[in-house]
PDB file of all heavy atoms in Angstrom:
ATOM      1  N   SER A 365     104.809   3.721 -93.641  1.00 90.00           N
ATOM      2  CA  SER A 365     104.257   2.534 -94.289  1.00 90.00           C
ATOM      3  C   SER A 365     103.468   2.922 -95.532  1.00 90.00           C
ATOM      4  O   SER A 365     103.222   4.104 -95.796  1.00 90.00           O
ATOM      5  CB  SER A 365     103.357   1.767 -93.319  1.00 90.00           C
ATOM      6  OG  SER A 365     102.235   2.552 -92.974  1.00 90.00           O
ATOM      7  N   ALA A 366     103.060   1.915 -96.290  1.00 93.00           N
ATOM      8  CA  ALA A 366     102.267   2.150 -97.495  1.00 93.00           C
ATOM      9  C   ALA A 366     100.856   2.595 -97.114  1.00 93.00           C
ATOM     10  O   ALA A 366     100.373   2.333 -96.009  1.00 93.00           O
ATOM     11  CB  ALA A 366     102.213   0.878 -98.338  1.00 93.00           C
ATOM     12  N   SER A 367     100.197   3.254 -98.054  1.00 93.00           N
ATOM     13  CA  SER A 367      98.853   3.766 -97.803  1.00 93.00           C
ATOM     14  C   SER A 367      97.801   2.818 -98.365  1.00 93.00           C
ATOM     15  O   SER A 367      98.077   1.985 -99.225  1.00 93.00           O
ATOM     16  CB  SER A 367      98.687   5.149 -98.434  1.00 93.00           C
ATOM     17  OG  SER A 367      98.818   5.066 -99.844  1.00 93.00           O
ATOM     18  N   VAL A 368      96.570   2.962 -97.857  1.00 96.00           N
ATOM     19  CA  VAL A 368      95.418   2.237 -98.389  1.00 96.00           C
ATOM     20  C   VAL A 368      94.404   3.271 -98.863  1.00 96.00           C
ATOM     21  O   VAL A 368      94.300   4.368 -98.305  1.00 96.00           O
ATOM     22  CB  VAL A 368      94.788   1.306 -97.335  1.00 96.00           C
ATOM     23  CG1 VAL A 368      95.741   0.196 -96.963  1.00 96.00           C
ATOM     24  CG2 VAL A 368      94.369   2.089 -96.090  1.00 96.00           C
ATOM     25  N   SER A 369      93.644   2.916 -99.892  1.00 96.00           N
ATOM     26  CA  SER A 369      92.690   3.847-100.487  1.00 96.00           C
ATOM     27  C   SER A 369      91.273   3.321-100.343  1.00 96.00           C
ATOM     28  O   SER A 369      91.034   2.109-100.341  1.00 96.00           O
ATOM     29  CB  SER A 369      93.008   4.070-101.970  1.00 96.00           C
ATOM     30  OG  SER A 369      94.287   4.648-102.128  1.00 96.00           O
ATOM     31  N   GLY A 370      90.338   4.243-100.223  1.00 96.00           N
ATOM     32  CA  GLY A 370      88.933   3.886-100.131  1.00 96.00           C
ATOM     33  C   GLY A 370      88.070   4.972-100.753  1.00 96.00           C
ATOM     34  O   GLY A 370      88.510   6.113-100.937  1.00 96.00           O
ATOM     35  N   GLN A 371      86.834   4.617-101.075  1.00 96.00           N
ATOM     36  CA  GLN A 371      85.920   5.556-101.698  1.00 96.00           C
ATOM     37  C   GLN A 371      84.643   5.671-100.876  1.00 96.00           C
ATOM     38  O   GLN A 371      84.253   4.737-100.167  1.00 96.00           O
ATOM     39  CB  GLN A 371      85.567   5.109-103.122  1.00 96.00           C
ATOM     40  CG  GLN A 371      86.764   4.993-104.045  1.00 96.00           C
ATOM     41  CD  GLN A 371      86.365   4.551-105.441  1.00 96.00           C
ATOM     42  OE1 GLN A 371      85.949   5.359-106.263  1.00 96.00           O
ATOM     43  NE2 GLN A 371      86.491   3.256-105.701  1.00 96.00           N
ATOM     44  N   GLY A 372      84.012   6.831-100.985  1.00 96.00           N
ATOM     45  CA  GLY A 372      82.750   7.069-100.301  1.00 96.00           C
ATOM     46  C   GLY A 372      81.797   7.831-101.196  1.00 96.00           C
ATOM     47  O   GLY A 372      82.214   8.642-102.027  1.00 96.00           O
ATOM     48  N   LEU A 373      80.505   7.578-101.020  1.00 96.00           N
ATOM     49  CA  LEU A 373      79.474   8.206-101.842  1.00 96.00           C
ATOM     50  C   LEU A 373      78.281   8.530-100.965  1.00 96.00           C
ATOM     51  O   LEU A 373      77.904   7.748-100.090  1.00 96.00           O
ATOM     52  CB  LEU A 373      79.050   7.266-102.971  1.00 96.00           C
ATOM     53  CG  LEU A 373      77.870   7.713-103.848  1.00 96.00           C
ATOM     54  CD1 LEU A 373      78.293   8.877-104.735  1.00 96.00           C
ATOM     55  CD2 LEU A 373      77.364   6.552-104.697  1.00 96.00           C
ATOM     56  N   ARG A 374      77.686   9.693-101.198  1.00 96.00           N
ATOM     57  CA  ARG A 374      76.465  10.066-100.489  1.00 96.00           C
ATOM     58  C   ARG A 374      75.566  10.854-101.435  1.00 96.00           C
ATOM     59  O   ARG A 374      76.016  11.810-102.081  1.00 96.00           O
ATOM     60  CB  ARG A 374      76.769  10.902 -99.249  1.00 96.00           C
ATOM     61  CG  ARG A 374      75.517  11.325 -98.477  1.00 96.00           C
ATOM     62  CD  ARG A 374      75.875  12.110 -97.227  1.00 96.00           C
ATOM     63  NE  ARG A 374      74.706  12.633 -96.554  1.00 96.00           N
ATOM     64  CZ  ARG A 374      73.979  11.970 -95.670  1.00 96.00           C
ATOM     65  NH1 ARG A 374      74.325  10.732 -95.341  1.00 96.00           N
ATOM     66  NH2 ARG A 374      72.927  12.518 -95.106  1.00 96.00           N
ATOM     67  N   ALA A 375      74.298  10.456-101.523  1.00 96.00           N
ATOM     68  CA  ALA A 375      73.308  11.138-102.357  1.00 96.00           C
ATOM     69  C   ALA A 375      72.120  11.521-101.485  1.00 96.00           C
ATOM     70  O   ALA A 375      71.647  10.712-100.678  1.00 96.00           O
ATOM     71  CB  ALA A 375      72.858  10.238-103.503  1.00 96.00           C
ATOM     72  N   THR A 376      71.639  12.753-101.652  1.00 94.00           N
ATOM     73  CA  THR A 376      70.549  13.269-100.827  1.00 94.00           C
ATOM     74  C   THR A 376      69.492  13.915-101.709  1.00 94.00           C
ATOM     75  O   THR A 376      69.813  14.658-102.642  1.00 94.00           O
ATOM     76  CB  THR A 376      71.069  14.308 -99.815  1.00 94.00           C
ATOM     77  OG1 THR A 376      72.111  13.725 -99.032  1.00 94.00           O
ATOM     78  CG2 THR A 376      69.959  14.766 -98.892  1.00 94.00           C
ATOM     79  N   LEU A 377      68.237  13.636-101.402  1.00 93.00           N
ATOM     80  CA  LEU A 377      67.100  14.255-102.078  1.00 93.00           C
ATOM     81  C   LEU A 377      66.166  14.811-101.014  1.00 93.00           C
ATOM     82  O   LEU A 377      65.773  14.104-100.088  1.00 93.00           O
ATOM     83  CB  LEU A 377      66.359  13.234-102.944  1.00 93.00           C
ATOM     84  CG  LEU A 377      65.029  13.699-103.559  1.00 93.00           C
ATOM     85  CD1 LEU A 377      65.277  14.800-104.583  1.00 93.00           C
ATOM     86  CD2 LEU A 377      64.282  12.534-104.192  1.00 93.00           C
ATOM     87  N   SER A 378      65.804  16.099-101.153  1.00 90.00           N
ATOM     88  CA  SER A 378      64.957  16.742-100.153  1.00 90.00           C
ATOM     89  C   SER A 378      63.831  17.505-100.831  1.00 90.00           C
ATOM     90  O   SER A 378      64.029  18.140-101.877  1.00 90.00           O
ATOM     91  CB  SER A 378      65.772  17.717 -99.291  1.00 90.00           C
ATOM     92  OG  SER A 378      66.823  17.053 -98.625  1.00 90.00           O
ATOM     93  N   LEU A 379      62.659  17.429-100.232  1.00 88.00           N
ATOM     94  CA  LEU A 379      61.516  18.249-100.609  1.00 88.00           C
ATOM     95  C   LEU A 379      61.231  19.168 -99.430  1.00 88.00           C
ATOM     96  O   LEU A 379      60.977  18.701 -98.318  1.00 88.00           O
ATOM     97  CB  LEU A 379      60.297  17.378-100.918  1.00 88.00           C
ATOM     98  CG  LEU A 379      60.465  16.386-102.076  1.00 88.00           C
ATOM     99  CD1 LEU A 379      59.228  15.509-102.200  1.00 88.00           C
ATOM    100  CD2 LEU A 379      60.716  17.122-103.378  1.00 88.00           C
ATOM    101  N   LEU A 380      61.280  20.473 -99.671  1.00 78.00           N
ATOM    102  CA  LEU A 380      61.288  21.434 -98.586  1.00 78.00           C
ATOM    103  C   LEU A 380      60.011  22.261 -98.552  1.00 78.00           C
ATOM    104  O   LEU A 380      59.677  22.951 -99.525  1.00 78.00           O
ATOM    105  CB  LEU A 380      62.504  22.369 -98.712  1.00 78.00           C
ATOM    106  CG  LEU A 380      63.862  21.671 -98.852  1.00 78.00           C
ATOM    107  CD1 LEU A 380      64.948  22.687 -99.138  1.00 78.00           C
ATOM    108  CD2 LEU A 380      64.179  20.884 -97.597  1.00 78.00           C
ATOM    109  N   ASN A 381      59.305  22.168 -97.449  1.00 75.00           N
ATOM    110  CA  ASN A 381      58.196  23.060 -97.126  1.00 75.00           C
ATOM    111  C   ASN A 381      57.159  23.165 -98.241  1.00 75.00           C
ATOM    112  O   ASN A 381      56.823  24.250 -98.711  1.00 75.00           O
ATOM    113  CB  ASN A 381      58.726  24.448 -96.765  1.00 75.00           C
ATOM    114  CG  ASN A 381      57.708  25.258 -95.986  1.00 75.00           C
ATOM    115  OD1 ASN A 381      56.798  24.700 -95.371  1.00 75.00           O
ATOM    116  ND2 ASN A 381      57.861  26.561 -96.017  1.00 75.00           N
ATOM    117  N   ILE A 382      56.656  22.012 -98.688  1.00 83.00           N
ATOM    118  CA  ILE A 382      55.539  21.996 -99.628  1.00 83.00           C
ATOM    119  C   ILE A 382      54.262  22.030 -98.800  1.00 83.00           C
ATOM    120  O   ILE A 382      53.782  21.001 -98.320  1.00 83.00           O
ATOM    121  CB  ILE A 382      55.574  20.744-100.524  1.00 83.00           C
ATOM    122  CG1 ILE A 382      56.903  20.653-101.267  1.00 83.00           C
ATOM    123  CG2 ILE A 382      54.415  20.767-101.511  1.00 83.00           C
ATOM    124  CD1 ILE A 382      57.027  19.424-102.131  1.00 83.00           C
ATOM    125  N   ASN A 383      53.732  23.221 -98.601  1.00 82.00           N
ATOM    126  CA  ASN A 383      52.561  23.373 -97.730  1.00 82.00           C
ATOM    127  C   ASN A 383      52.788  22.688 -96.385  1.00 82.00           C
ATOM    128  O   ASN A 383      52.007  21.850 -95.938  1.00 82.00           O
ATOM    129  CB  ASN A 383      51.305  22.820 -98.406  1.00 82.00           C
ATOM    130  CG  ASN A 383      50.875  23.663 -99.588  1.00 82.00           C
ATOM    131  OD1 ASN A 383      50.951  24.890 -99.540  1.00 82.00           O
ATOM    132  ND2 ASN A 383      50.452  23.014-100.658  1.00 82.00           N
ATOM    133  N   ASN A 384      53.931  23.030 -95.765  1.00 83.00           N
ATOM    134  CA  ASN A 384      54.303  22.548 -94.430  1.00 83.00           C
ATOM    135  C   ASN A 384      54.715  21.080 -94.410  1.00 83.00           C
ATOM    136  O   ASN A 384      54.767  20.469 -93.337  1.00 83.00           O
ATOM    137  CB  ASN A 384      53.167  22.773 -93.425  1.00 83.00           C
ATOM    138  CG  ASN A 384      52.772  24.220 -93.322  1.00 83.00           C
ATOM    139  OD1 ASN A 384      53.620  25.102 -93.229  1.00 83.00           O
ATOM    140  ND2 ASN A 384      51.474  24.484 -93.368  1.00 83.00           N
ATOM    141  N   PHE A 385      55.003  20.504 -95.556  1.00 89.00           N
ATOM    142  CA  PHE A 385      55.478  19.127 -95.627  1.00 89.00           C
ATOM    143  C   PHE A 385      56.954  19.122 -96.013  1.00 89.00           C
ATOM    144  O   PHE A 385      57.381  19.853 -96.909  1.00 89.00           O
ATOM    145  CB  PHE A 385      54.675  18.336 -96.660  1.00 89.00           C
ATOM    146  CG  PHE A 385      55.210  16.938 -96.880  1.00 89.00           C
ATOM    147  CD1 PHE A 385      54.939  15.925 -95.983  1.00 89.00           C
ATOM    148  CD2 PHE A 385      56.002  16.658 -97.987  1.00 89.00           C
ATOM    149  CE1 PHE A 385      55.435  14.648 -96.176  1.00 89.00           C
ATOM    150  CE2 PHE A 385      56.503  15.378 -98.194  1.00 89.00           C
ATOM    151  CZ  PHE A 385      56.216  14.373 -97.288  1.00 89.00           C
ATOM    152  N   ASN A 386      57.747  18.295 -95.313  1.00 86.00           N
ATOM    153  CA  ASN A 386      59.170  18.150 -95.601  1.00 86.00           C
ATOM    154  C   ASN A 386      59.499  16.671 -95.731  1.00 86.00           C
ATOM    155  O   ASN A 386      58.979  15.834 -94.983  1.00 86.00           O
ATOM    156  CB  ASN A 386      60.020  18.769 -94.486  1.00 86.00           C
ATOM    157  CG  ASN A 386      59.888  20.273 -94.431  1.00 86.00           C
ATOM    158  OD1 ASN A 386      60.535  20.999 -95.164  1.00 86.00           O
ATOM    159  ND2 ASN A 386      59.023  20.750 -93.540  1.00 86.00           N
ATOM    160  N   PHE A 387      60.362  16.372 -96.680  1.00 90.00           N
ATOM    161  CA  PHE A 387      60.769  14.990 -96.925  1.00 90.00           C
ATOM    162  C   PHE A 387      62.251  14.984 -97.276  1.00 90.00           C
ATOM    163  O   PHE A 387      62.729  15.824 -98.042  1.00 90.00           O
ATOM    164  CB  PHE A 387      59.956  14.393 -98.079  1.00 90.00           C
ATOM    165  CG  PHE A 387      60.417  13.021 -98.495  1.00 90.00           C
ATOM    166  CD1 PHE A 387      59.940  11.890 -97.862  1.00 90.00           C
ATOM    167  CD2 PHE A 387      61.337  12.872 -99.528  1.00 90.00           C
ATOM    168  CE1 PHE A 387      60.365  10.626 -98.247  1.00 90.00           C
ATOM    169  CE2 PHE A 387      61.768  11.616 -99.924  1.00 90.00           C
ATOM    170  CZ  PHE A 387      61.280  10.487 -99.281  1.00 90.00           C
ATOM    171  N   SER A 388      62.990  14.050 -96.706  1.00 90.00           N
ATOM    172  CA  SER A 388      64.415  13.940 -97.005  1.00 90.00           C
ATOM    173  C   SER A 388      64.800  12.468 -97.045  1.00 90.00           C
ATOM    174  O   SER A 388      64.356  11.681 -96.197  1.00 90.00           O
ATOM    175  CB  SER A 388      65.254  14.670 -95.949  1.00 90.00           C
ATOM    176  OG  SER A 388      66.634  14.525 -96.217  1.00 90.00           O
ATOM    177  N   SER A 389      65.597  12.108 -98.027  1.00 94.00           N
ATOM    178  CA  SER A 389      66.089  10.737 -98.124  1.00 94.00           C
ATOM    179  C   SER A 389      67.552  10.781 -98.542  1.00 94.00           C
ATOM    180  O   SER A 389      67.979  11.690 -99.262  1.00 94.00           O
ATOM    181  CB  SER A 389      65.273   9.929 -99.139  1.00 94.00           C
ATOM    182  OG  SER A 389      65.385  10.504-100.433  1.00 94.00           O
ATOM    183  N   SER A 390      68.314   9.803 -98.089  1.00 93.00           N
ATOM    184  CA  SER A 390      69.732   9.775 -98.433  1.00 93.00           C
ATOM    185  C   SER A 390      70.226   8.339 -98.515  1.00 93.00           C
ATOM    186  O   SER A 390      69.672   7.430 -97.881  1.00 93.00           O
ATOM    187  CB  SER A 390      70.562  10.555 -97.406  1.00 93.00           C
ATOM    188  OG  SER A 390      70.534   9.913 -96.142  1.00 93.00           O
TER     189      SER A 390
END
Side-chain angles (χ1 to χ4, degrees):
S365 64
S367 63
V368 294
S369 298
Q371 300 180 83
L373 174 71
R374 180 178 174 86
T376 304
L377 172 67
S378 301
L379 299 175
L380 307 173
N381 199 22
I382 304 178
N383 291 321
N384 302 314
F385 174 79
N386 292 277
F387 174 86
S388 178
S389 61
S390 67

